[in-house]
Amino acid sequence: VSFLDALNGGRGSAVLDFLRERNTSFITESKSGRTLLLLDGTYSMESLIDGAKMAIGEMFNRAYTILRENNVDGAFEMQLCVYRNYNAESHDIFEHSGWENKPDNLRAFCGRIEAKHGWARECIELGLLHAMEEHEKDPVSQIIVLGDRGANTPSDLTEKRAPRGAADWSKTKYAERILFQDQLQRVVEAEIPIHSFYLKNTAREETFEAMSAATPGGICKALDVKSSSAVEQLTSAITQLLLKDLGGDNLVPAYKEKFGGGKGYIDIS
C-alpha cells in the first residue's frame, strides 16, 4: 500500500506504519492535533467554499509529506463548519462535518454546502459555541476562521432574532441568545488559538484581529479567494497551521523550503 493510497483511503494506521517502517529516527512521542475550521457560508462566499473543496486534498498530502520527510510521527483530524446568520432556517444557520483524518469526506461535505443567506455581521458566535462543545468532548487544538464580516453584536442579535420570535427560537438549540464575547472568553480560558483569515478589511476591523490577538499564538492574515492563486493561498495557510500545531515552529520552515516562494504562498509567521 503506497503512502498516498493509504492517506487518501483514510487508513490512518497504515499511514503511520508506512512512515515508521521507512524512517528509523522517528521521535518516540506520537503527536496529534484537532483543527476546527469555521467557514463563512453566506451568499457572498461561494468562492471560499469552492476553494476549500479544491484545496482539502492537497492540504493533507502536503502536511503528511512534510511530516514524513522530517521524521515526525504525527497525525491530525479536521472538522469543517459553516456559519451563516439568523435569517436562515434553523438547520442552515450552522452546519458541520464529522471529524475526519482523510480528505474525501471533507471534500464531499464542501460539495453539499450551498452559499446562501447572510446579514451583515455573521454568526461567528455560534461557531465558537460549537468549538467549545467539541472541545469538552475531546480537546480541540486550534480554531481557524475564514470570512468577510465580523461576529454579531448584542444589538445585532436583538434585531436579527426578533422576526422569528421567542416561541420559534425555543424549538431550536439557540433558544437563548449566544453572545460572541462570552464564547470568545471560553476559548481564551481554554487557551485554544484562533487563527483568522479575512476576505475584507471589514472583518479584520470588526472582529478578526482582536479575536486572534486575544488567544495564544493566534494570527490574523488577509486572504483573497477571488484571485487566481486562491486555492494555493488556502492550501498554504492551512497546511502550515496544521504542521505548526503538530511540531511547533519547526515544521513550518520545512514547508516553506519545499512549497513556499511561489504565487499564493502565505507567510504565517
Side-chain angles (χ1 to χ4, degrees):
V1 179
S2 73
F3 172 73
L4 291 181
D5 285 343
L7 170 61
N8 291 326
R11 298 185 291 278
S13 60
V15 170
L16 293 180
D17 288 345
F18 180 99
L19 298 177
R20 292 189 184 100
E21 288 171 4
R22 287 157 178 77
N23 295 273
T24 58
S25 57
F26 264 79
I27 58 173
T28 57
E29 179 184 4
S30 179
K31 297 184 179 182
S32 62
R34 279 164 48 93
T35 295
L36 192 143
L37 186 60
L38 294 173
L39 304 177
D40 182 340
T42 57
Y43 66 89
S44 60
M45 293 292 101
E46 185 173 357
S47 295
L48 175 61
I49 295 169
D50 288 346
K53 180 180 178 180
M54 290 186 284
I56 286 291
E58 187 64 12
M59 291 176 196
F60 278 72
N61 289 342
R62 290 188 188 183
Y64 278 110
T65 295
I66 295 298
L67 292 175
R68 181 183 74 246
E69 293 181 351
N70 288 270
N71 298 327
V72 175
D73 186 0
F76 57 88
E77 291 182 303
M78 183 186 293
Q79 183 179 85
L80 294 184
C81 307
V82 172
Y83 60 89
R84 295 189 177 93
N85 222 318
Y86 296 102
N87 57 342
E89 296 297 323
S90 299
H91 60 275
D92 283 335
I93 295 176
F94 187 84
E95 300 181 81
H96 64 87
S97 72
W99 285 100
E100 304 290 348
N101 60 8
K102 61 181 181 180
D104 293 353
N105 289 341
L106 296 173
R107 199 159 37 219
F109 173 76
C110 284
R112 295 192 298 270
I113 293 299
E114 181 182 350
K116 54 187 174 181
H117 304 295
W119 192 350
R121 290 173 181 258
E122 312 292 1
C123 289
I124 297 173
E125 62 273 10
L126 301 188
L128 298 189
L129 170 68
H130 174 77
M132 292 311 299
E133 290 173 343
E134 293 296 303
H135 182 69
E136 289 169 358
K137 299 173 189 174
D138 193 359
V140 171
S141 49
Q142 61 181 344
I143 300 167
I144 303 174
V145 184
L146 301 96
D148 67 351
R149 290 299 302 265
N152 285 309
T153 65
S155 60
D156 288 330
L157 296 181
T158 299
E159 176 188 358
K160 295 176 182 180
R161 287 168 58 92
R164 292 176 63 170
D168 195 3
W169 285 114
S170 68
K171 301 173 185 176
T172 75
K173 68 175 294 183
Y174 309 120
E176 301 297 326
R177 297 196 317 166
I178 308 299
L179 297 176
F180 169 74
Q181 287 298 334
D182 290 348
Q183 300 311 310
L184 177 59
Q185 185 59 36
R186 293 176 66 194
V187 176
V188 170
E189 291 174 357
E191 299 183 342
I192 303 171
I194 299 177
H195 307 298
S196 57
F197 294 89
Y198 56 92
L199 281 58
K200 294 181 180 178
N201 275 324
T202 305
R204 176 183 64 81
E205 295 166 354
E206 290 176 339
T207 299
F208 282 35
E209 189 168 50
M211 174 176 66
S212 292
T215 64
I219 66 168
C220 180
K221 298 280 186 177
L223 192 69
D224 183 2
V225 295
K226 294 186 177 181
S227 75
S228 60
S229 63
V231 174
E232 179 60 27
Q233 288 181 54
L234 281 166
T235 304
S236 170
I238 295 175
T239 305
Q240 289 179 85
L241 289 172
L242 292 172
L243 292 169
K244 185 175 182 179
D245 187 40
L246 292 174
D249 291 322
N250 297 329
L251 296 175
V252 174
Y255 177 93
K256 182 175 182 179
E257 182 177 353
K258 189 173 187 69
F259 298 110
K263 185 178 181 181
Y265 171 75
I266 291 181
D267 186 348
I268 67 165
S269 59

